[in-house]
Amino acid sequence: MNAPVNQDLAQEVAAIPLDKIDVSDPRLYETDTWGPYFARLRREAPVHFCAESYFGPFWSVTKYKDIMQVDVSHQIYSSETSLGGITIRDREEKYQRPSFITMDPPRHDEHRKTVSPIVAPGNLAHLAGTIRERAAKILDELPRGETFDWVDRVSIELTTQMLATLFDFPFADRRKLTYWSDVATVDVNAGTAIDSEEKRDEVLQECLACFTELWNQRVNAEPRNDLLSMLAHGESTRNLTPKEFLGTVILLIVGGNDTTRNSISGGLLALSRNPAEYRKLRDDPARIIPTMVPEIIRYQSPIIHMRRTAIADAELGGQHIRKGDKVIMWYKSGNRDDEAIENPDAFIVDRARPRQHLSFGFGIHRCVGNRLAELQLTIMWEEIMKRFPTIEVVGEPVRLYSNFISGIKHLPVRIPA
Amino acid sequence: MPKVTYIEYNGTEHVVDVPVGTSVMRGAVDNNIPGIDADCGGECACATCHVYIEPEWFAKTGARSSQEESMLSFAAVTQDNSRLSCQIEMTAELDGLVLRMPEGQH
Ligand code: HEM
Ligand code: FES
């Protein structure tokens, strides 16, 4: 069973003039109504121009193969901060926080190589023990027979503990990481205390101050295997400007946090809405978990879009893209493209090729942490299945107002006593 | 049909036929040989089909493209004889090719 097809909504979407469709509206993701909009674009205008939106004019790329083409053509589609970076929202220069995700080669390549050893296979094997220990403790402390928020008690706790481990960040202060990560990505119109770029910047300056202090400690100590120490001693990163340093720290905090958190929440939600799939998992967890984890990441598509800016004229899906145009890859849509993925709206825990999805992007910016994210989810589900044959979702999820992070803010659950 | 020997990281050998014109990555995936993930399906966009070519075969597999070069530079545990197996097309000359898998793909 999948989310019910809402006929009224489908009709409403069908009635909008094609050129007025605007998939950048964050409410579509807050209300989980994005499906019919993208279905229509994939069918009628796979590369679609939206002339007027809150975020200015932009191209939407909605089909799997076209997104792949943009992702691998970094010579044409740039990620550079100064051109607009990787989000649909343009930022004034003083609020730009460059990091290697918003750099093109060759600087991107140098910085990325400094960070990637932390998630090399050997290091991952080493992290696995810590992750399992921490996951076990979190799960053992959960209440039975009473309703609690899965997001707060499990999803946030596990990813935040992991992040504190990766940075060797003071463990007791770890929720600061969660806070900074949320502040870094929150939509200023979402109704939180962060209602301007200025306020966002104030909080992130605290983050910078804290990490600068840690950086100073690490740079004066012997190199170690945590991310900060690697940045402090890395040949290409040790002379980062404060802005670049902040950008890189935030990249790693957000990269390793929101995305994995929302996959942990989204996975449980998808299982509870698809009882037959939940049963498959219960019947044979060892066989199902390896294919279920990538399927959860596809189904959730934790990053809704990535943006590029064309630095040359190009053809894409029959459309003519001009130098300077804003091009949005809607991963959430590409992951529901039935020309690339069979029965894409269904959540199926034992797909034949479950890793064939766009959630991590492709090409030179493909997610550095993708195997780490999978590892965390894998261990978490292994430990859950050892303890709880079933976890009941007892209310509706509360979703995030954002067109960038596909977020679940609260998910009420109950573990039978 | 030309044969390819795939050696897993733990030493397990698999000898399979790979049709001329198919990629060496495809040969592994179609025969369910573990150790090559190939997340992007052969677009040279994920570097999870990374292999080490036995030295005597390396030159015969041809040169890396610049896209392969940059994707490989981000793969873990690369060596001089590293290739992305989706970028090697099977030919009659490659009959007998031997390659090894890395510790992990990522
Ligand atoms: C399910 C979890 C995750 C998802 C869905 C995800 C998604 C993504 C996506 C789509 C990109 C590509 C950006 C682009 O093309 O512009 C990316 C890049 C990145 N991710 Fe993740 N990510 C996840 C987990 C993580 C974790 C755990 C880490 C921390 C180690 C991480 C660190 C990064 C970094 C550093 C980049 C930049 C790579 C580059 O520009 O070369 N991510 N991620
Ligand atoms: S299969 Fe993705 S690079 Fe070879």
Side-chain angles (χ1 to χ4, degrees):
Chain A
M1 248 296 298
N2 300 295
V5 178
N6 181 333
Q7 286 304 336
D8 293 346
L9 178 64
Q11 276 175 14
E12 203 178 294
V13 172
I16 307 173
L18 194 56
D19 62 339
K20 292 281 180 267
I21 288 190
D22 176 6
V23 285
S24 72
D25 184 348
R27 277 173 308 189
L28 299 186
Y29 308 96
E30 185 184 33
T31 54
D32 201 29
T33 49
W34 47 274
Y37 293 85
F38 283 119
R40 181 155 177 226
L41 290 189
R42 285 194 303 271
R43 214 167 37 236
E44 296 176 29
V47 177
H48 169 264
F49 190 67
C50 176
E52 268 174 55
S53 86
Y54 178 81
F55 306 96
F58 67 93
W59 289 99
S60 282
V61 189
T62 58
K63 286 193 70 81
Y64 190 101
K65 71 169 181 10
D66 294 329
I67 292 173
M68 178 71 89
Q69 185 179 338
V70 173
D71 249 344
V72 300
S73 310
H74 56 265
Q75 303 87 344
I76 299 172
Y77 301 103
S78 166
S79 297
E80 269 306 315
T81 325
S82 58
L83 298 176
I86 51 152
T87 60
I88 192 167
R89 180 188 293 273
D90 297 304
R91 285 216 169 91
E92 276 178 73
E93 198 189 334
K94 64 175 171 175
Y95 297 128
Q96 289 170 0
R97 287 174 286 272
S99 67
F100 63 93
I101 202 170
T102 56
M103 288 176 192
D104 291 339
R107 280 208 313 154
H108 162 268
D109 301 14
E110 291 161 17
H111 286 216
R112 178 169 171 134
K113 279 178 216 164
T114 312
V115 175
S116 55
I118 188 114
V119 286
N123 226 8
L124 281 191
H126 166 80
L127 279 172
T130 318
I131 301 177
R132 192 174 300 279
E133 236 168 70
R134 297 196 160 155
K137 184 151 182 294
I138 291 168
L139 296 173
D140 283 339
E141 286 170 1
L142 293 177
R144 309 277 185 127
E146 70 182 68
T147 299
F148 64 92
D149 184 7
W150 179 257
V151 176
D152 185 56
R153 293 289 299 262
V154 181
S155 311
I156 291 184
E157 204 40 49
L158 185 75
T159 39
T160 307
Q161 291 193 12
M162 272 326 302
L163 214 53
T165 310
L166 284 179
F167 280 113
D168 197 8
F169 187 84
F171 205 65
D173 290 341
R174 63 186 182 277
R175 285 277 172 144
K176 283 188 184 166
L177 296 171
T178 319
Y179 176 60
W180 291 328
S181 166
D182 288 347
V183 168
T185 55
V186 70
D187 190 306
V188 289
N189 299 322
T192 72
I194 307 297
D195 56 7
S196 68
E197 288 297 332
E198 206 177 332
K199 290 205 183 132
R200 190 199 315 271
D201 202 53
E202 259 168 45
V203 174
L204 293 182
Q205 287 307 324
E206 292 164 23
C207 171
L208 176 63
C210 172
F211 272 98
T212 307
E213 203 185 311
L214 292 173
W215 159 286
N216 286 334
Q217 293 167 8
R218 306 286 151 89
V219 85
N220 294 317
E222 285 297 301
R224 281 185 313 190
N225 255 352
D226 65 85
L227 277 173
L228 274 183
S229 180
M230 287 167 99
L231 286 172
H233 293 278
E235 203 176 304
S236 62
T237 50
R238 89 188 141 206
N239 298 321
L240 293 179
T241 64
K243 248 190 178 180
E244 284 180 335
F245 178 58
L246 181 63
T248 307
V249 165
I250 289 173
L251 167 59
L252 292 165
I253 296 179
V254 177
N257 201 33
D258 283 7
T259 49
T260 315
R261 175 204 305 176
N262 292 315
S263 302
I264 294 176
S265 310
L268 180 59
L269 181 61
L271 283 168
S272 90
R273 287 186 173 171
N274 295 271
E277 300 303 303
Y278 208 162
R279 209 166 307 124
K280 283 187 204 164
L281 169 65
R282 257 192 307 273
D283 288 348
D284 194 354
R287 184 176 70 89
I288 295 297
I289 290 173
T291 49
M292 176 182 82
V293 163
E295 173 69 351
I296 287 175
I297 296 170
R298 177 189 76 89
Y299 202 69
Q300 176 69 17
S301 298
I303 301 279
I304 297 170
H305 81 264
M306 281 283 165
R307 172 250 181 97
R308 299 292 188 259
T309 308
I311 49 177
D313 290 4
E315 286 293 311
L316 182 67
Q319 300 292 326
H320 189 68
I321 311 285
R322 288 212 165 67
K323 183 176 169 179
D325 286 355
K326 191 189 280 196
V327 178
I328 309 297
M329 297 178 279
W330 296 101
Y331 291 144
K332 220 173 176 84
S333 170
N335 277 339
R336 300 298 177 98
D337 180 354
D338 61 8
E339 280 178 23
I341 296 163
E342 207 181 309
N343 199 2
D345 287 325
F347 175 74
I348 303 174
V349 294
D350 51 358
R351 283 184 182 273
R353 297 220 51 228
R355 282 225 181 98
Q356 195 192 317
H357 65 68
L358 295 165
S359 296
F360 293 122
F362 279 112
I364 61 168
H365 290 285
R366 180 172 169 77
C367 181
V368 169
N370 74 80
R371 290 300 191 261
L372 174 61
E374 288 190 356
L375 183 71
Q376 293 185 57
L377 290 179
T378 301
I379 292 176
M380 229 238 352
W381 279 104
E382 286 170 357
E383 294 300 316
I384 289 176
M385 295 318 290
K386 280 186 203 163
R387 291 170 176 76
F388 316 125
T390 180
I391 302 169
E392 296 160 359
V393 173
V394 294
E396 286 303 304
V398 181
R399 294 177 193 272
L400 188 69
Y401 177 93
S402 170
N403 61 23
F404 185 62
I405 301 277
S406 181
I408 298 176
K409 293 199 289 189
H410 302 288
L411 186 65
V413 304
R414 204 179 68 99
I415 300 174
Chain B
M1 228 187 270
K3 287 198 185 313
V4 178
T5 304
Y6 299 86
I7 308 176
E8 286 183 55
Y9 187 69
N10 67 13
T12 310
E13 281 191 22
H14 306 260
V15 184
V16 298
D17 295 325
V18 181
V20 168
T22 10
S23 76
V24 170
M25 173 280 278
R26 196 49 62 203
V29 171
D30 290 350
N31 289 288
N32 294 315
I33 299 174
I36 290 180
D37 293 343
D39 295 0
C40 76
E43 303 282 339
C44 198
C46 70
T48 64
C49 63
H50 173 205
V51 297
Y52 308 125
I53 307 291
E54 284 295 271
E56 64 270 29
W57 288 98
F58 188 68
K60 292 204 186 93
T61 62
R64 303 179 189 130
S65 69
S66 66
Q67 174 73 5
E68 183 180 346
E69 208 61 81
S70 43
M71 288 311 297
L72 255 182
S73 72
F74 306 132
V77 291
T78 47
Q79 302 175 359
D80 291 344
N81 58 341
S82 287
R83 287 294 311 266
L84 293 179
S85 56
C86 69
Q87 300 302 302
I88 306 172
E89 196 183 292
M90 212 47 208
T91 57
E93 292 73 63
L94 285 177
D95 185 15
L97 176 68
V98 182
L99 51 87
R100 292 170 185 277
M101 321 270 191
E103 182 180 2
Q105 302 283 357
H106 95 143

